[in-house]
């Protein structure tokens, strides 16, 4: 079974840091690009960051550039999101999602999400 | 930046065809994907490459695209299809956008 399991979400104060993890299983992890996508309470989906299969290429949405860092460990079948200088507007459920190049780069597998709350 | 525009809500009776549109200039050049999200659950891919359907998705889900508008149609909509539907496209590797979402009500 193909699975993605996120962890690391927590309540953190504004300006604080947090590291999210996403563990993959059931597929050849280093064959796939990976993404983080978030959803603020009661709001829509928002793409956050992308990492290539080797980890050599990364992209971010403008609002998190310089504050968030995506990385991956292909030996551990995991992708990470290091978040710093957190703001209230970063409060959201964070999903990791597999990007399938055979399906025109669609996000074909999603984790269940992990919740980040930024509040004093 | 660019945007994808969806209606906030669509309502149909069971058995009717539900149509959800997604509009944006990028759709004239790039593929649209559609996701279904039920309350408290992660999104699920229902359509990719404008009109392709993953094998696990029922055949009543149909995608199409023309010019700057993509459409998700659910033929013979069922109560279990009630959800929020999001379109998505990528103008570039670092320009990836979801539509605002459409709440589908089947009653």
């Amino acid at each position: 079974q193909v699975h993605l399991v996120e962890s690391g979400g927590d309540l953190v104060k504004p300006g604080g840091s947090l590291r999210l993890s996403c563990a993959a299983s059931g597929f050849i992890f280093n064959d796939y690009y990976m993404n983080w996508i978030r959803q603020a309470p009661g709001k829509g989906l928002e793409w956050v960051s992308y990492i290539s299969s080797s980890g050599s290429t990364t992209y971010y949405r403008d609002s998190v550039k310089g504050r968030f860092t995506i990385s991956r460990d292909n030996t551990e079948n995991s992708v990470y999101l290091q978040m710093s200088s957190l703001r209230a507007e970063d409060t959201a459920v964070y999903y990791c999602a597999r990007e399938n190049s055979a399906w025109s780069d669609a996000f074909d597998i999603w984790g269940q999400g992990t919740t980040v709350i930024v509040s004093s | 930046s660019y945007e994808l525009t969806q209606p906030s809500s669509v309502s149909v009776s069971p058995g009717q065809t539900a149509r959800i549109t997604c509009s944006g200039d990028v759709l004239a050049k790039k593929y649209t994907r559609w996701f279904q999200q039920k309350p408290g659950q992660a999104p699920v891919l229902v359509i990719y490459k404008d009109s392709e359907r993953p094998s696990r998705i029922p055949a009543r889900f149909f995608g199409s695209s023309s010019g700057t508008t993509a459409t998700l149609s659910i033929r013979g909509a069922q109560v279990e299809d009630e959800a929020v539907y999001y379109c998505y496209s990528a103008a570039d590797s670092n320009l990836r956008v979801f539509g605002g979402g459409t709440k589908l009500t089947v009653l």
Side-chain angles (χ1 to χ4, degrees):
Chain A
Q1 277 281 40
V2 176
H3 278 305
L4 296 172
V5 179
E6 303 95 335
S7 60
D10 205 348
L11 170 64
V12 61
K13 289 181 167 52
S17 298
L18 205 57
R19 188 195 197 209
L20 306 182
S21 300
C22 171
S25 61
F27 63 97
I28 301 173
F29 182 67
N30 58 11
D31 278 353
Y32 291 88
Y33 311 146
M34 297 295 294
N35 290 261
W36 286 96
I37 295 152
R38 68 185 179 185
Q39 186 169 35
K43 302 296 185 183
L45 300 172
E46 184 175 79
W47 171 77
V48 175
S49 184
Y50 154 101
I51 189 165
S52 62
S53 53
S54 67
S56 61
T57 301
T58 58
Y59 298 113
Y60 303 90
R61 68 178 302 105
D62 285 348
S63 61
V64 308
K65 280 181 186 174
R67 300 189 300 122
F68 289 12
T69 302
I70 190 171
S71 62
R72 65 190 293 162
D73 184 338
N74 287 342
T75 65
E76 295 289 334
N77 290 344
S78 293
V79 60
Y80 308 99
L81 188 67
Q82 178 68 48
M83 305 186 293
S84 61
S85 302
L86 283 162
R87 307 166 180 167
E89 54 265 35
D90 296 319
T91 295
V93 175
Y94 284 73
Y95 297 99
C96 67
R98 186 179 85 168
E99 183 172 327
N100 191 335
S101 60
W103 286 9
S104 71
D105 301 331
F107 304 137
D108 66 337
I109 302 294
W110 297 60
Q112 85 290 348
T114 188
T115 300
V116 174
I117 300 173
V118 183
S119 175
S120 54
Chain B
S1 64
Y2 66 97
E3 294 181 346
L4 297 177
T5 301
Q6 299 180 235
S8 58
S9 63
V10 167
S11 293
V12 296
S13 299
Q16 289 187 326
T17 296
R19 292 183 179 85
I20 299 171
T21 58
C22 175
S23 299
D25 290 343
V26 66
L27 301 185
K29 305 173 188 175
K30 300 292 184 179
Y31 289 124
T32 306
R33 300 81 167 171
W34 291 93
F35 299 90
Q36 175 195 69
Q37 187 179 33
K38 296 183 178 179
Q41 298 183 19
V44 172
L45 176 70
V46 294
I47 294 289
Y48 65 97
K49 211 172 179 179
D50 289 345
S51 59
E52 299 292 323
R53 182 174 40 83
S55 58
R56 64 184 180 274
I57 302 302
R60 62 180 179 274
F61 286 83
F62 179 79
S64 61
S65 186
S66 178
T68 59
T69 299
T71 303
L72 173 67
S73 301
I74 307 173
R75 298 167 171 169
Q78 302 180 9
V79 173
E80 69 205 51
D81 299 329
E82 282 203 345
V84 179
Y85 291 85
Y86 295 92
C87 60
Y88 164 85
S89 190
D92 204 343
S93 295
N94 61 343
L95 281 177
R96 298 154 173 250
V97 171
F98 288 91
T102 299
K103 180 174 174 53
L104 174 66
T105 301
V106 182
L107 53 71

